[in-house]
């Protein structure tokens, strides 16, 4: 029995060691042509009407994760996350109805995709694209605890399985392509929902994050939209200079 336990522990240690080695592997940064091509493909996916809803669903996952993470950081009690087939989402938390904490939580949603995109760009520039994929997998695993509807659960599970299979069985070239596509998609798609909000004008639903922030802070919703848009465009600029510095040289 002792021998079996020792063998099991040794095997588990070997598995965790392999996971760590894979997750922390450093690979050469691809050439500028490869980075530019993945960026152009991502831009096409963001702009094309048939693919945008699918891209936006991924953005919504990061958006709601941003709400959830900040809610926990500011001491709120996270109740659950819902993702819907129309690419909308909802994160529910409990705590003080007003104050800096709830403002930070509400503001985090529209800032999260660009922030995660910049983080992904920094990892890719350091040759740690696989690390980025493993961190994305951990994020999806953490979200599973808080998803409260079937569609959201299926979305996160399918995404997590796809990323997990890629990190374990995918060849380095495919991993690099997907990692760069994800980073570009986050950076390029972050401003679009805000541009769409500006386009709705007075027909906009008054339940959006900027409208809720307007009620909390007395700062008009339009000002919040422009602030978020400026922050996302700044994140895009930083991401581009990080991923493809030769383009601006």
């Amino acid at each position: 029995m002792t021998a079996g336990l020792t063998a099991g522990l040794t095997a588990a240690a070997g598995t965790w060691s392999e996971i760590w080695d894979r997750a922390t592997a450093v690979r050469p940064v691809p050439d500028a042509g490869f980075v530019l091509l993945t960026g152009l493909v991502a831009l096409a996916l963001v702009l094309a009407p048939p693919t945008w809803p699918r891209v936006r669903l991924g953005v919504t996952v990061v958006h709601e994760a941003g709400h959830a993470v900040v809610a926990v950081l500011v001491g709120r009690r996270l109740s659950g996350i819902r993702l819907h087939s129309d690419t909308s989402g909802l994160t529910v938390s409990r705590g003080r109805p007003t104050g800096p904490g709830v403002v930070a939580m509400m503001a985090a949603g529209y800032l999260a995709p660009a922030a995660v995109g910049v983080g992904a760009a920094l990892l890719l520039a350091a040759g740690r694209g696989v690390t980025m994929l493993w961190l994305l997998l951990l994020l999806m695993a953490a979200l599973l605890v808080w998803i409260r509807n079937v569609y959201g659960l299926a979305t996160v599970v399918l995404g997590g399985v796809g990323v997990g299979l890629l990190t374990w069985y995918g060849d380095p070239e495919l991993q690099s392509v997907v990692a760069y596509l994800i980073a570009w998609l986050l950076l390029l798609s972050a401003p679009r929902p805000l541009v769409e909000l500006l386009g709705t004008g007075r027909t906009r639903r008054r339940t959006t994050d900027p409208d809720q922030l307007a009620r909390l802070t007395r700062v008009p919703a339009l000002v919040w939209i422009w602030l978020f848009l400026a922050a996302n465009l700044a994140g895009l600029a930083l991401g581009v200079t990080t991923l493809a510095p030769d383009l601006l040289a």
Side-chain angles (χ1 to χ4, degrees), residues 134-208:
W134 277 97
L135 290 174
L136 183 61
L137 182 60
L138 288 176
L139 173 63
M140 291 184 178
L143 286 178
L144 285 177
V145 179
W146 302 110
I147 297 294
R148 294 293 183 264
N149 66 323
V150 174
Y151 184 83
L153 185 64
T155 299
V156 175
V157 167
L158 288 175
V161 169
V163 175
L165 291 174
L166 176 66
T167 56
W168 197 258
Y169 297 107
D171 60 66
E173 290 76 15
L174 180 60
Q175 290 174 348
S176 185
V177 169
V178 174
Y180 272 88
L181 276 177
I182 290 173
W184 278 118
L185 285 171
L186 288 170
L187 292 167
L188 292 167
S189 61
R192 180 164 176 177
L194 293 159
V195 173
E196 292 175 349
L197 277 183
L198 288 173
T200 58
R202 294 186 178 182
T203 64
R204 184 180 70 254
R205 292 183 301 172
R206 301 305 168 181
T207 57
T208 66

Side-chain angles (χ1 to χ4, degrees), residues 52-135:
W52 169 239
R54 293 170 177 79
V55 173
R56 179 158 185 167
L57 181 58
V59 173
T60 299
V61 173
V62 179
H63 179 113
E64 300 305 328
H67 283 315
V69 169
V70 175
V72 172
L73 290 177
V74 298
R76 296 180 65 83
R77 183 177 179 182
L78 188 60
S79 300
I81 300 171
R82 291 178 176 269
L83 303 171
H84 303 121
S85 58
D86 64 354
T87 73
S88 65
L90 177 66
T91 298
V92 179
S93 65
R94 297 177 181 179
R96 290 184 58 189
T98 59
V102 69
V103 170
M105 182 204 68
M106 294 301 306
Y110 278 111
L111 298 175
V116 174
V118 170
L122 291 171
L123 287 171
L124 289 168
R128 296 189 177 275
V130 180
T131 303
M132 188 208 89
L133 294 174
W134 277 97
L135 290 174

